[in-house]
Amino acid sequence: MRLPGFTHLVFSAALVFAPALQASSPNSLKTSQRAPVVTSLGSTSLAQAQQRAASARFSSTGSPRKTLRPLPDPRISHSARSSSIQTTNSGQAIEFPVTEANSSERGFSGLSSRDSNNANGGGTNGISEPPDQGFATNGSQVFEAVNLAFRIFSPNGTPLSAPIDFNGFFAVLPQSGANSFNDLSDPRVFFDPQSKRFFLTILEFQTDATTGAFLGSEVLLAVSQTSDATGNYYLYSINVSNKVDPICKPGCLGDQPLIGVNDDGFYISTNEFTNSQATPFAGALITALDKDALIHNTKIYGTAYLLPNDFSVEPALPAPGAVTTQHHGTEYFTESLDFGPPSNGNSLRLFALTNTESIEGPS
């Protein structure tokens, strides 16, 4: 059976109206392949999550958690980073017209940082700066995540659940013993119109209580068992520490998980940061998992690729009715080449992961 294979294209933003695409040879794309480590954590309901939250060992005092950005740019050398920054004001100002909302638009006040904080025991336990947000809808329910909590609403803003804290939902204690801390960051949520399931992710990482060094990281994933966002969920842990690479020992930080789906798979992209000052960045880790197995909580197959020369590779989320079956299954990814030399700032790189049908089995 053929294995999934990456190819990529690069095009210039200056050629939007008449793009001249240039394809590289698939063999020129530097990747290393490995098997992902996925652990089933059982299932849960929102009510069970609230019960766990009530017994969680939260501190009543503290300071707001800070998200992991801004992080060092992995493409710029340390010497370049320490040099003086050059600025210019030669650009031309552009004004955008502001129009009034039309009568068909509607909105409501959603989840707030205060809701997140209260759901996590108060004392600034649920506040992150800047706040991260996830948002999805199945048409009759609105699923919103902010910082370290999420809540379900009706389309007119009526709450269909209390604010649920992520620690209680995934049964992650804020502190594991006296030697390390467990932190959560970067929630994402998506409703897949093909499978009619919600997919919810958040990054979980451990740090040494004394040195602050990263000890490992994982992406926590919840998949709804029906199309009802207030129903039960299957829970999983996907290891993104990338410990198979020597540069990542004792474990990389799989930062800023980005998610996507097609008919065959569920895809996670993370930026792999190391503990090393000399080589702070290992690359972008792309993890592809059998979507049907995640939905039914059966044996999960998949594959993972490390792209050592790429950063923040965004998986595609298909529109309802989109066809993703070309080339025995295709998932697209895109990446902005605005890191490093200024000459790269006007380009995008497009990836195609083909033959995604093969991740539905052990081959």
Side-chain angles (χ1 to χ4, degrees), residues 307-322:
L307 283 63
N309 299 314
D310 296 275
F311 183 75
S312 288
V313 178
E314 180 84 49
L317 293 169

Side-chain angles (χ1 to χ4, degrees), residues 89-114:
N89 59 358
S90 59
Q92 181 179 358
I94 301 175
E95 294 184 2
F96 294 92
V98 177
T99 60
E100 296 180 1
N102 63 50
S103 58
S104 64
E105 294 177 346
R106 53 183 176 168
F108 57 87
S109 296
L111 197 63
S112 69
S113 290
R114 177 174 294 180

Side-chain angles (χ1 to χ4, degrees), residues 2 26 29 37 70-71 100 128 130 145 153 166 180 183 187 192 219 248 282 292 300 324 330 343:
R2 293 171 300 171
L29 180 63
V37 178
L71 288 167
E100 296 180 1
S128 293
F153 299 89
F166 277 100
S180 64
D183 278 293
D192 177 27
V219 172
C248 279
D292 190 66
I300 300 166
T324 64
T330 300
S343 60

Side-chain angles (χ1 to χ4, degrees), residues 27-107:
N27 293 330
S28 70
L29 180 63
K30 294 181 179 180
T31 66
S32 59
Q33 190 177 13
R34 73 283 318 273
V37 178
V38 183
T39 304
S40 174
L41 304 178
S43 62
T44 192
S45 67
L46 303 191
Q48 290 171 327
Q50 286 186 284
Q51 291 175 356
R52 284 193 293 269
S55 60
R57 294 177 297 179
F58 290 114
S59 169
S60 60
T61 61
S63 58
R65 306 182 193 194
K66 297 186 182 298
T67 58
L68 304 180
R69 291 164 307 283
L71 288 167
D73 190 320
R75 299 295 179 270
I76 302 176
S77 67
H78 289 282
S79 59
R81 240 184 248 132
S82 61
S83 62
S84 60
I85 299 175
Q86 302 295 320
T87 61
T88 178
N89 59 358
S90 59
Q92 181 179 358
I94 301 175
E95 294 184 2
F96 294 92
V98 177
T99 60
E100 296 180 1
N102 63 50
S103 58
S104 64
E105 294 177 346
R106 53 183 176 168

